[in-house]
Amino acid sequence: MPDTHPGSAQLGGRKLRRVVYSAAEIAERVRAMGREISAAYDREDDLLVLGLLKGSFIFLADLVREIELPLQVDFLAAASYGNGTVSSGEVRLLYDPEAPLEGRAVVLVEDIIDSGTTLAKVMPVLEARGAKSLEICALLHKRIAVLPKEARWVGFDAPPEFLVGYGLDYSENFRHLPYIGSL
Ligand code: IMP
Ligand code: MG
């Protein structure tokens, strides 16, 4: 329950409006996504699962454990938000993956697609690196962005609210909540 989880103390008196996705709902959906991704590739695809930091870290950790294929994990860090709930529209690349992309099947893992600014900036950078294929897997999608390339796998169509937990933050807080709630 949100109000008894120690992480909700960071709200400083404010309350999570509601739990949007429970830990059990998320686990079930992530399991299904793992099965779909496992079915979409072969053992020979040299799969690289590339997590967009920081928000995807919990989703990625759970997702890769549901993928029954050989794979490697790397990360990419881009910052598109300041410390608020409104997109700044600016994206900075803070960490570039070390793993080569050339000739590989790459799945870019994102926590949530909101304005699509992050993906619009990051995708061309990755597309230039000669991957055999490049797909987007997002846990949440607010369905307001018009993306040059739509996400192939989406966990949930998210409501137009500011969500926290399961990797998603508000000013770096609440990432560790095991469920996703609305502020
Ligand atoms: P976009 O570039 O506007 O698509 O935003 C993508 C990034 O903004 C995500 O990876 C998150 O880090 C952050 N973000 C967008 N919406 C939310 C939200 O509802 N809660 C927490 N973070 C969000
Ligand atoms: Mg964030």
Side-chain angles (χ1 to χ4, degrees), residues 16-40:
L16 284 185
R17 244 192 291 169
R18 61 190 179 101
V19 173
V20 181
Y21 306 108
S22 70
E25 283 174 292
I26 296 168
E28 190 186 332
R29 190 70 193 103
V30 172
R31 212 170 296 130
M33 294 172 89
R35 278 197 302 269
E36 286 176 30
I37 292 172
S38 302

Side-chain angles (χ1 to χ4, degrees), residues 93-157:
L93 262 196
L94 307 174
Y95 174 78
D96 210 7
E98 286 166 4
L101 271 55
E102 196 168 348
R104 313 183 69 175
V106 178
V107 176
L108 182 63
V109 177
E110 168 76 302
D111 54 352
I112 183 165
I113 301 172
D114 183 4
S115 70
T117 311
T118 309
L119 287 175
K121 295 275 166 71
V122 162
M123 285 297 280
V125 175
L126 299 180
E127 272 161 356
R129 295 188 183 177
K132 178 166 66 180
S133 62
L134 177 59
E135 301 288 352
I136 298 162
C137 174
L139 178 64
L140 303 161
H141 198 326
K142 289 190 181 168
R143 300 291 182 195
I144 53 175
V146 181
L147 300 169
K149 183 185 175 86
E150 193 43 84
R152 176 154 174 198
W153 295 286
V154 173
F156 302 98
D157 286 353

Side-chain angles (χ1 to χ4, degrees), residues 80-91:
S80 74
Y81 273 35
N83 282 334
T85 57
V86 178
S87 180
S88 68
E90 273 172 49
V91 172

